[in-house]
Amino acid sequence: MTSAFGAAVKAWRGRLSVADTGLPATARRRTAGLRREELASLAGLSVDYVVRLEQGRARHPSPQVVAALARALQLADAERDHLYRTAGLLPPAAGDVGTHIPPGVARVAARLGDVPLGVFSADWTLLTWTPLWAALLGDPAAVPPDQRNLLRVLFTPDRSAAWPRVTPDGISDGTPAALVADLRATAAAYPNDRRLAAFIASLHSASRGFAALWDSGAVAAHASERKTIAHPVVGPVTLNCDVLTAHGCDLRIVVYTAPTGSSDADKLDLLRVTGVPPPTTGAGAPDGPRRSASSGST
């Protein structure tokens, strides 16, 4: 028997156009909306699990799974909260760092699929990304969802991970200090988020570099800058990195661009064609869905 949760997922899957997701559209589609395998890819779930959820045979999805489906289905806030309740879960608290991507931001990200673009929560956890982001910086799908935090990677790096790809001196530039200053502003904006407080405490105890920057007391929003990515296939790529925000949500939209006609633009064009390169020595194989926001294993 189909559950209320499964019926909602199926209905919302049917109303979402594949063109609004950034996934390639096939020539023939028997029905409107997303196929189950497309929703599974977007949410980072198995197709079998999506089928069982829709049919009511899987009745206790985790908060991470519900959040991933809400993002993949581009639900409005009220719809997201309804999905949580039909799963027997409390919706996210208003005072916590949000991981929900509003429909408007999701549509913009889908239509900018030809540039490297990533959407981060206010604590710098990567929520979704374009294929060219993965091709440029390494595939985030090779990293467990709970490890896709930029501050965690910078200050407690896992050298076996395939993401993110940084320059040899990437840890010594101004990015870490800017991110820590931005995180302090986030902590002030979300004083009651216990998960955020625990995350900051864990970084403080695990990294002397983070502790020194945090204890300096600097507060600032992470702004645009110019970066060089040491790519294993096309070589060094110097790009403008712009950090954008959307009205009504506390998300960071990070976009990399190159001047038209430059050699760096040519390198991005090559990556558009070749896609995600194989991992470098010691890196985990990027064998997961490229646009995943979460997975059913966390």
Side-chain angles (χ1 to χ4, degrees), residues 27 29 60 70 74 95 129 176 179 186 193 250 272:
R29 301 182 70 87
H60 301 287
Q74 300 183 13
W129 59 90
L179 289 172
T186 296
D193 189 329
D250 200 3
R272 280 189 196 94

Side-chain angles (χ1 to χ4, degrees), residues 75-228:
L75 302 184
D77 289 350
E79 294 170 334
R80 175 206 61 189
D81 292 351
H82 175 73
L83 192 65
Y84 272 86
R85 293 187 181 100
T86 58
L89 300 168
L90 290 175
D96 292 346
V97 171
T99 62
H100 185 61
I101 300 176
V105 174
R107 288 191 294 269
V108 169
R111 281 163 171 74
L112 293 178
D114 61 342
V115 299
L117 180 149
V119 179
F120 291 82
S121 60
D123 64 357
W124 289 98
T125 297
L126 182 62
L127 303 176
T128 191
W129 59 90
T130 62
L132 192 53
W133 174 281
L136 177 68
L137 295 169
D139 194 353
V143 181
D146 62 347
Q147 300 296 312
R148 293 177 193 151
N149 182 281
L150 196 51
L151 285 143
R152 185 190 298 277
V153 171
L154 287 176
F155 290 102
T156 58
D158 179 358
R159 297 305 178 188
S160 67
W163 176 85
R165 184 175 293 113
V166 296
T167 58
D169 61 346
I171 305 303
S172 63
D173 65 15
T175 301
L179 289 172
V180 173
D182 187 277
L183 184 66
R184 181 178 287 280
T186 296
Y190 298 91
N192 298 320
D193 189 329
R194 290 181 291 181
R195 187 202 60 79
L196 176 62
F199 171 64
I200 293 170
S202 69
L203 285 180
H204 196 279
S205 62
S207 169
R208 292 181 180 178
F210 177 88
L213 290 170
W214 184 263
D215 293 343
S216 72
V219 180
H222 185 39
S224 303
E225 58 185 333
R226 196 161 173 80
K227 289 180 176 289
T228 298

Side-chain angles (χ1 to χ4, degrees), residues 39-47 49-50 53 65 68-69 289 292 294-297:
L39 175 59
S41 175
L42 289 167
L45 306 172
S46 71
V47 179
Y49 189 50
V50 170
L53 284 171
V65 166
L69 286 169
S292 167
S294 183
S295 78
S297 61

